[in-house]
Amino acid sequence: MKRHSAAASVVTAPWSIRRLGASEIDQDWLADFQRRQQVTLVYRGTSGDRRIVAEPFIDDWSPDERRELCRELAAMAGDGLVLAVTAAGQLAGFAAVSPQSLGPDGEYLQLKELQVDARWRGRGLGRELMQACIAGARAIGARRLYVSSHSAIETVSFYERCGCVPARWLHSPQVALEPFDWQMERDLR
């Protein structure tokens, strides 16, 4: 029987996460990013009356949506938090936390994006990005992270595994913008 030392079994992540500045995000930054998500089941209702509904569709970004998102991320990178995960020399994921305080007491910051390229999903990048966003939002002084999650059951389940719960406070403009999203929050204390 061959024995392995504990040191030999340690595997380092094949990716790195770093904070981006605005100048690093040009209009073509997401041109090769594979956002595509094939959705079959979604959550509908409220947190107290959550139902799973079959609603198959493919979620993806058009070239114009990609460029607009790049503009938004570049603008947010100044005062907010924009993180990128690179793997094998390519963008494998990214996340963004808005710098604008929200909520009745200003205790929330909003997780605006958390995306993992389809080629890299299922390897732990999303959890690593979420942990980096939690740490970054906490360092900025937030007590809660507001998450407007895609209603796909896989996406909501991901955020629940990351410690998110149904939002106690609803950000009305976000609810109006994305009425089918699942509104959640993550306590940072």
Side-chain angles (χ1 to χ4, degrees), residues 13-49:
W15 60 78
S16 62
I17 300 176
R18 68 182 188 84
R19 187 173 186 166
L20 297 180
S23 64
E24 298 176 88
I25 306 168
D26 65 20
Q27 71 174 5
D28 296 321
W29 187 63
L30 294 173
D32 297 325
F33 191 84
Q34 291 189 15
R35 161 65 183 96
R36 184 182 170 94
Q37 180 178 3
Q38 188 165 340
V39 177
T40 54
L41 300 172
V42 297
Y43 285 118
R44 292 293 183 255
T46 62
S47 60
D49 180 31

Side-chain angles (χ1 to χ4, degrees), residues 47 103-105 107-108 143-147 164-171 183-189:
S47 60
D105 298 321
E107 71 269 30
Y108 291 89
R143 294 189 310 270
R144 295 185 186 346
L145 196 59
Y146 189 86
V147 179
C164 294
V165 297
R168 296 182 309 174
W169 169 82
L170 297 177
H171 183 41
Q183 307 304 310
M184 305 177 83
E185 67 180 59
R186 170 65 159 74
D187 193 311
L188 304 181
R189 291 174 271 158

